[in-house]
């Protein structure tokens, strides 16, 4: 954070891992930054704790999970992400505990990222609104799992070499906005990525079901803080 607003995110890295709870979590804000980074030739892999199977009230989980998985794969491809892992924790009931930390630490050791992106672990979002348990639990577990992944004496049964090369964890949607990414050139890709969640948006209704105006509102506000037309913000934790 500078005296006038958030600092610009560091971009002197090559590999990132994005860890969130559900399909659509990354598309509601961070996808524009991810599109910018993949355009720069950086590698980004998604890890989702669940398949979002409990996210559509009108559709049973047995149908919603496979459909939302398909929509997430399509959304990722729009922003240049070809690899998406699903940890298959239960949507709506994700717990911040050793099993989740173990799964995320394993992904960190396999993928060896320099940057880890996750979603807001705090109780509220910018402007208020209580944050749901899945988001909070995955965000906190990710912060802890990055340290776990670096300790060779934790989760030894994984058979994976420790990875201490994570330099930052970037938390999207945080009310503490320390850093920003200029997404002016990739905002359209962010919108297109969110639009791939067709079934979810149709069931959601309301202002959040209209990708372009919803995302533009927040990107414009973040851009004003950062001094660029459109931006997304993160709370950045140096590791």
């Amino acid at each position: 954070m500078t005296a006038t607003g958030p600092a610009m995110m560091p971009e002197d890295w090559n590999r990132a891992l994005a860890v969130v709870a559900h399909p659509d979590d990354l598309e509601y804000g961070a996808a524009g930054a991810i599109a910018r980074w993949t355009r720069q030739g950086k590698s980004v892999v998604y890890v989702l704790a669940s398949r979002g199977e409990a996210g559509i009230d009108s559709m049973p989980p047995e149908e919603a999970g496979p459909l939302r998985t398909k929509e997430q794969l399509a959304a990722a491809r729009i922003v240049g992400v070809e690899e998406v892992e699903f940890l298959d924790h239960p949507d709506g009931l994700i717990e911040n505990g050793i099993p989740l930390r173990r799964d995320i630490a394993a992904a960190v050791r396999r993928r060896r990222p320099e940057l880890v992106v996750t979603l807001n672990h705090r109780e509220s979002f910018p402007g208020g609104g209580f944050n749901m348990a899945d988001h909070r639990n995955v965000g906190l577990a990710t912060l802890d799992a990055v340290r776990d992944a670096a300790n060779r004496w934790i989760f030894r049964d994984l058979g994976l070499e420790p990875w201490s090369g994570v330099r930052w964890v970037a938390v999207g949607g945080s009310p503490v906005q320390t850093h920003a990414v200029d997404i002016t050139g990739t905002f359209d890709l962010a919108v297109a990525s969110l639009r791939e969640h067709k079934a979810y948006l149709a069931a959601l209704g309301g202002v959040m079901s209209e990708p372009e105006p919803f995302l533009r509102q927040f990107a414009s506000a973040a851009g004003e803080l950062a001094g660029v037309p459109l931006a997304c913000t993160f709370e950045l934790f140096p590791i």
Side-chain angles (χ1 to χ4, degrees):
M1 179 80 75
T2 69
T4 56
M8 300 311 288
M9 276 273 291
E11 293 185 330
D12 58 331
W13 52 270
N14 294 308
R15 296 185 308 279
L17 186 72
V19 185
V20 294
H22 318 105
D24 80 71
D25 282 351
L26 288 164
E27 286 71 44
Y28 274 108
I34 290 165
R36 172 187 171 96
W37 295 331
T38 59
R39 277 189 167 184
Q40 294 172 347
K42 303 180 191 301
S43 168
V44 182
V45 174
Y46 286 0
V47 173
L48 276 71
S50 80
R51 295 179 186 266
E53 66 274 6
I56 298 179
D57 184 68
S58 60
M59 187 178 296
E62 297 79 13
E63 296 178 22
L67 178 57
R68 298 200 69 198
T69 297
K70 182 179 178 181
E71 289 184 342
Q72 181 60 72
L73 295 174
R77 284 192 292 269
I78 293 285
V79 295
V81 175
E82 297 295 334
E83 295 186 77
V84 182
E85 298 184 15
F86 295 89
L87 303 179
D88 289 323
H89 288 253
D91 182 18
L93 300 173
I94 301 172
E95 296 181 328
N96 177 15
I98 300 306
L100 180 60
R101 281 170 51 187
R102 183 181 186 278
D103 286 347
I104 298 171
V108 171
R109 288 177 179 176
R110 285 196 307 272
R111 300 296 183 172
R112 304 169 74 84
E114 299 157 84
L115 171 70
V116 171
V117 177
T118 191
L119 196 65
N120 183 18
H121 62 286
R122 299 186 180 275
E123 290 189 353
S124 64
F125 285 104
F130 188 63
N131 190 10
M132 72 172 296
D134 282 358
H135 297 158
R136 302 195 316 269
N137 290 340
V138 172
L140 278 173
T142 300
L143 285 162
D144 289 331
V146 166
R147 180 171 287 128
D148 296 337
N151 187 331
R152 72 173 56 254
W153 307 122
I154 295 178
F155 304 133
R156 287 184 285 173
D157 60 310
L158 290 172
L160 297 166
E161 285 297 308
W163 176 247
S164 58
V166 177
R167 298 162 64 191
W168 311 274
V169 176
V171 179
S174 173
V176 182
Q177 302 172 355
T178 64
H179 287 71
V181 178
D182 183 352
I183 62 168
T184 308
T186 54
F187 178 75
D188 289 347
L189 291 173
V191 171
S193 185
L194 180 55
R195 281 184 177 146
E196 288 297 326
H197 295 281
K198 297 179 179 69
Y200 179 72
L201 294 175
L204 185 64
V207 296
M208 289 184 68
S209 67
E210 298 292 337
E212 204 282 340
F214 185 84
L215 293 180
R216 185 173 291 278
Q217 172 189 357
F218 290 98
S220 295
E224 187 172 349
L225 289 174
V228 297
L230 299 170
C232 63
T233 58
F234 295 92
E235 180 178 5
L236 193 67
F237 290 89
I239 303 299

